[in-house]
Amino acid sequence: MDLGTQRVKAVVLKDDVVVGRGQMFAGFDPAKATEQAVNDALKAANLSLLDVNHFTATGSAMDLAPHANNTVSMMGADAKAGVFLIPQARTVIDIGAEEARAVKCDARGLMMEFVVNERCAAGAGAFIEAMARALEVKLDDMGLLALKAERASPINASCVIFGESDVVSLIHRQESKPEIARAVFDAMADRISSMIHRLGINPEVVLVGGVAKDPGFVASLNRKLDLAVQIPEYPEYAGALGAALIAATRAKGASK
């Protein structure tokens, strides 16, 4: 179970194969939302709560997780999931709604070092959401808009408020929406790439989290890092998958 600030996710793992997934908005009651996500994942797997040997929770609200036998840090979960999904992975970048982090891991999926974006949404999905509102475009359209731009104007990504002010200034200067959208992603990629360089880039680099599904951000990050990041299927479930992998290991250990 991954209890994030905006969404909660659940993954059911059986014999090292994902057999069910579920997610819900966290809302005001993340524990209740997680319960529903777990039920949806179990339904997809044609299983019940009684069939589950071990529950592991991760995420910012992991202490609220129902059924949890134990918890694991998001960095530990990211490392485990990254190497499971892409065995050559040695750096895993996870960008969610309000936080970004990067993990250096070994061939076993064990975390070696990590860095976390400061407590500011400017380096996370909330930054894209705020800029989409300023541009009066749908969030899902931001990435495709940015891919149409041939250049980008610099904006301030140190703070959502400053960034939004810069976007409004660019609108008043009649910059095109594609160019402003690209500026948003380039600014965010600048912030993330500087964080990654502090950690040290160890190929292969894997990108997970909900923002990994945004083609505009992926293109900007690839340019800033001068490489092509690997993106697994269902990147938003990586945290929950890592927790499930750790749950499986602990369940096997308890059965011996």
Side-chain angles (χ1 to χ4, degrees):
M1 301 170 285
D2 175 8
L3 284 74
T5 55
Q6 191 175 89
R7 287 181 176 271
V8 298
K9 280 83 66 176
V11 163
V12 181
L13 197 68
K14 182 178 181 181
D15 298 327
D16 288 336
V17 176
V18 175
V19 293
R21 298 179 185 85
Q23 70 169 294
M24 296 286 293
F25 280 107
F28 290 102
D29 192 345
K32 183 177 180 180
T34 304
E35 189 85 58
Q36 184 60 56
V38 168
N39 290 338
D40 289 349
L42 289 170
K43 184 177 180 180
N46 197 26
L47 297 168
S48 73
L49 282 172
L50 296 177
D51 296 313
V52 181
N53 292 326
H54 201 96
F55 286 91
T56 297
T58 190
S60 58
M62 61 186 178
D63 292 336
L64 301 176
H67 316 299
N69 299 107
N70 63 287
T71 60
V72 62
S73 71
M74 274 303 301
M75 289 70 75
D78 284 339
K80 186 65 71 174
V83 173
F84 177 82
L85 293 166
I86 299 177
Q88 296 79 24
R90 295 298 178 268
T91 302
V92 182
I93 306 168
D94 186 350
I95 306 177
E98 294 187 2
E99 188 177 80
R101 54 194 160 265
V103 182
K104 186 183 294 185
C105 52
D106 65 14
R108 298 168 295 169
L110 297 179
M111 175 185 64
M112 299 170 64
E113 297 179 62
F114 71 90
V115 290
V116 179
N117 188 32
E118 294 82 2
R119 284 286 180 182
C120 177
F127 183 68
I128 305 172
E129 292 182 9
M131 300 307 110
R133 287 194 297 270
L135 279 176
E136 298 182 353
V137 301
K138 294 180 180 178
L139 178 62
D140 291 343
D141 292 339
M142 283 285 286
L144 296 178
L145 263 180
L147 294 179
K148 297 177 182 178
E150 295 182 358
R151 66 178 185 86
S153 300
I155 67 171
N156 190 327
S158 63
C159 171
V160 172
I161 302 300
F162 294 155
E164 193 165 5
S165 176
D166 284 352
V167 165
V168 170
S169 295
L170 292 176
I171 292 172
H172 290 163
R173 283 164 42 188
Q174 297 186 327
E175 295 275 359
S176 71
K177 286 189 176 183
E179 289 170 356
I180 298 174
R182 176 170 163 174
V184 167
F185 289 117
D186 280 357
M188 185 172 164
D190 265 335
R191 190 177 179 90
I192 298 301
S193 63
S194 65
M195 181 180 78
I196 305 307
H197 284 296
R198 293 203 307 272
L199 180 70
I201 299 177
N202 283 25
E204 295 285 326
V205 180
V206 178
L207 178 63
V208 299
V211 177
K213 299 169 69 175
D214 193 308
F217 174 72
V218 173
S220 289
L221 186 62
N222 285 343
R223 284 193 297 269
K224 297 299 179 183
L225 295 178
D226 195 26
L227 54 78
V229 297
Q230 303 291 316
I231 303 173
E233 191 175 16
Y234 304 110
E236 70 273 33
Y237 284 96
L241 172 59
L245 289 164
I246 290 167
T249 298
R250 290 176 176 170
K252 291 172 185 175
S255 65
K256 291 181 180 179

